Amino acid sequence: MTQPLQQTSATFVGMPKFPEAARKELANAQQRKNLRHATHTIRTKRGNVVREVDEWEALRVAGAEAKDEALTHLGDYLEQLEASLTANGAVVHWARDAEEANRIVLDIVRSKEVDEVVKVKSMVTQEIELNEALEAAGINAWETDLAELIVQLGHDRPSHILVPAIHRNRSEIREIFLREMGQVGRPAPADLTDDPPRLAEAARLHLREKFLRAKVGISGANFAVADTGTLVVVESEGNGRMCLTLPETLISVVGIEKVLPTWEDLGTMLQLLPRSSTGERMNPYTTMWTGVHDGDGPQEVHVVLLDNGRSHVLADRLGRQALRCIRCSACLNVCPVYERTGGHAYGSVYPGPIGAVLNPQLRGTSSAIDKSLPYASSLCGACFDACPVRINIPELLVELRGKVVEEAGRTPESAAMKAAAWVLSDPRRLGAAQRAATTAGRLTGGKPLRSVPGLGAWSNARDVPSPPKESFRQWWARERGKGEGR
């Protein structure tokens, strides 16, 4: 499977060279084994709990409709969310882009005169590279999610939306803990094994002191309910709840597409998300907060509502459906490309099929990575079938491929397509081309062509069928005794 995957993606019309990162990931046999095991395990769990819901398709439709309602009237619901949050004592900030969002967060953290923060797992803070901005300002940002901690200590990058360290096995995690924990806090026990409970214990002891002394916590949000001003984080470990309740100050960075109109809509999402993400009926921890509450939780709450390209996506009536995404990662777990290459091969914060459509819309297709993302898919449609909010990812991928081709201008492939259109638009030209092809077929003796000039890597990776020795027109003339006609 490796060779075709390496070659095919580089040869669609207008597509740039297949990213070198993908080739490296494919060559890592251990990582491919880790990915396959993990994605298939989650996929099986998801299938079991989804089958328990008699009206699963109706639930998917309800989820899609709730998100579409919010996106169609996004300005109104965001203003309602701001009013609800403010009424409950929160301070709302608006950020046009990553730079502005990072500046807002840095100003708040500096005002508290601290040199460290604890963080809840958050894709949006990775999107804006908040950790890097904090580090540049001399502030340590401690990831508290177990998988994010593994990635941080391993000086690595996340490879999965839900399970950032999915590409690591437990032996690799043990080595990371033994090597790195002592450098940034409490060291791992010298007799640490790769038994999962022991690894979790080592992480818990390492993080506990950070939870207890932290003055500032930073989070994202899975959902933001407009009519109540409630922010929601769902998780499996409880670290998020520690970050959301222990620090005196809480800063939540929230993409503007996370808003839901009503509490009833949240009920729908809390049925869809756990089943689609971790294969559970309900998340072990669902934490909700609505501003500031006397004596309970943080006494200062800041909410940064982030655009960072989302308004641009919203303006595209077809592309806006990508903003429905609830970050469940179901599309990653069923994708035949992702399970072989992993998230690192995509070269973007949001990996997998959803990242292949979301990143080029948020960032444009000017970079080589963003040009290649729409082609990082087999277009098999499994991602649409798995998506709990019915995002038609294959449709968006095809649309984005068209945009990449248009932006590329005249290429050898586009010239070939124009030549084909010229031949096929006239019966006489088509007949002449068929006669030439059948002559070539007789000359090759019907054997496959190993290499075809002009087709480059495409023909190097696969055999090209030999042209037939006789066309249909020629067969008709021979059998019926008439001219080839028109």
Side-chain angles (χ1 to χ4, degrees):
M1 290 298 298
T2 302
Q3 183 68 11
L5 187 58
Q6 285 181 311
Q7 297 292 342
T8 56
S9 295
T11 54
F12 288 108
V13 175
M15 185 200 164
K17 186 178 180 181
F18 198 53
E20 186 61 29
R23 302 181 191 275
K24 293 179 180 179
E25 301 304 320
L26 284 166
N28 189 332
Q30 180 62 57
Q31 180 166 299
R32 289 173 63 184
K33 182 179 179 180
N34 297 346
L35 284 166
R36 180 176 175 80
H37 173 74
T39 55
H40 280 245
T41 298
I42 298 172
R43 185 191 309 179
T44 300
K45 289 178 62 181
R46 175 194 173 275
N48 291 336
V49 295
V50 164
R51 282 190 290 272
E52 296 175 354
V53 182
D54 292 335
E55 301 296 333
W56 177 253
E57 188 59 28
L59 197 61
R60 290 179 72 206
V61 171
E65 290 178 346
K67 292 293 290 185
D68 283 347
E69 166 64 20
L71 294 171
T72 302
H73 306 286
L74 186 58
D76 295 335
Y77 287 119
L78 287 173
E79 289 182 3
Q80 184 181 8
L81 175 64
E82 179 184 29
S84 299
L85 285 166
T86 303
N88 286 290
V91 180
V92 177
H93 310 263
W94 297 85
R96 296 179 183 85
D97 53 28
E99 182 181 358
E100 189 169 5
N102 287 336
R103 184 169 65 250
I104 292 168
V105 174
L106 277 170
D107 287 345
I108 298 169
V109 174
R110 283 173 175 149
S111 73
K112 305 305 170 186
E113 299 181 345
V114 297
D115 61 2
E116 65 177 357
V117 299
V118 289
K119 289 184 73 255
V120 187
K121 178 182 179 298
S122 166
M123 294 296 296
V124 74
T125 59
Q126 291 172 13
E127 176 189 329
I128 64 175
E129 299 184 338
L130 178 60
N131 284 15
E132 290 79 0
L134 290 168
E135 183 180 355
I139 299 166
N140 294 315
W142 304 120
E143 295 290 352
T144 63
D145 175 83
L146 177 55
E148 288 285 3
L149 176 65
I150 294 165
V151 169
Q152 186 175 47
L153 291 177
H155 308 288
D156 202 348
R157 293 180 295 115
S159 65
H160 193 277
I161 289 175
L162 178 68
V163 193
I166 196 172
H167 58 291
R168 297 288 193 183
N169 62 32
R170 59 190 188 179
S171 296
E172 292 172 315
I173 294 168
R174 172 184 176 274
E175 293 303 317
I176 290 171
F177 281 7
L178 287 172
R179 184 178 68 248
E180 299 291 338
M181 276 187 170
Q183 305 295 320
V184 293
R186 179 169 180 159
D191 61 348
L192 181 66
T193 68
D194 63 3
D195 186 39
R198 289 295 310 280
L199 294 172
E201 179 188 29
R204 183 166 58 251
L205 294 173
H206 176 78
L207 290 170
R208 187 56 55 94
E209 63 183 50
K210 293 177 170 54
F211 285 131
L212 293 176
R213 71 172 183 248
K215 300 297 182 183
V216 178
I218 296 177
S219 80
N222 292 98
F223 307 105
V225 184
D227 64 353
T228 61
T230 303
L231 301 185
V232 184
V233 161
V234 297
E235 49 155 338
S236 299
E237 300 169 17
N239 64 290
R241 184 163 295 180
M242 300 279 278
C243 292
L244 295 165
T245 55
L246 290 177
E248 298 170 357
T249 300
L250 173 62
I251 306 169
S252 299
V253 183
V254 184
I256 56 175
E257 83 282 11
K258 296 298 183 73
V259 67
L260 293 175
T262 68
W263 192 261
E264 288 74 19
D265 297 323
L266 177 63
T268 299
M269 296 303 172
L270 291 182
Q271 295 178 73
L272 289 168
L273 180 55
R275 285 180 166 85
S276 300
S277 57
T278 56
E280 298 171 296
R281 298 177 186 88
M282 185 174 181
N283 284 92
Y285 296 89
T286 301
T287 306
M288 306 181 188
W289 66 103
T290 307
V292 176
H293 298 273
D294 291 337
D296 181 21
Q299 298 305 293
E300 188 174 330
V301 174
H302 296 264
V303 179
V304 182
L305 295 175
L306 175 72
D307 189 321
N308 204 35
R310 287 158 175 79
S311 293
H312 173 73
V313 182
L314 187 68
D316 186 331
R317 292 199 171 275
L318 179 63
R320 69 166 56 173
Q321 61 181 298
L323 296 179
R324 292 182 198 157
C325 178
I326 57 176
R327 310 293 191 265
C328 69
S329 75
C331 59
L332 281 73
N333 298 325
V334 299
C335 177
V337 176
Y338 176 88
E339 75 170 16
R340 288 166 172 80
T341 63
H344 292 159
Y346 289 80
S348 58
V349 172
Y350 300 104
I354 186 60
V357 296
L358 186 57
N359 281 290
Q361 292 189 92
L362 289 174
R363 306 187 307 195
T365 54
S366 59
S367 72
I369 285 292
D370 291 313
K371 282 186 176 72
S372 72
L373 285 175
Y375 294 87
S377 171
S378 64
L379 296 181
C380 66
C383 49
F384 171 70
D385 292 339
C387 178
V389 288
R390 294 176 55 84
I391 301 171
N392 195 332
I393 295 175
E395 179 183 35
L396 293 179
L397 288 167
V398 171
E399 178 75 9
L400 286 167
R401 290 181 184 188
K403 290 183 178 179
V404 170
V405 171
E406 289 176 4
E407 291 172 0
R410 188 174 179 84
T411 65
E413 291 92 343
S414 64
M417 292 299 104
K418 288 182 179 179
W422 180 79
V423 170
L424 294 173
S425 64
D426 183 273
R428 294 185 182 85
R429 290 196 289 265
L430 176 59
Q434 288 176 328
R435 287 190 293 274
T438 56
T439 300
R442 289 191 293 272
L443 291 174
T444 61
K447 295 179 180 179
L449 306 179
R450 299 296 185 185
S451 179
V452 177
L455 291 185
W458 196 94
S459 63
N460 292 338
R462 58 186 58 72
D463 293 336
V464 180
S466 175
K469 297 179 181 180
E470 185 177 46
S471 71
F472 173 78
R473 289 168 178 253
Q474 292 166 334
W475 173 88
W476 183 273
R478 178 170 53 79
E479 290 294 319
R480 302 299 176 91
K482 299 180 180 179
E484 290 190 22
R486 298 174 62 127

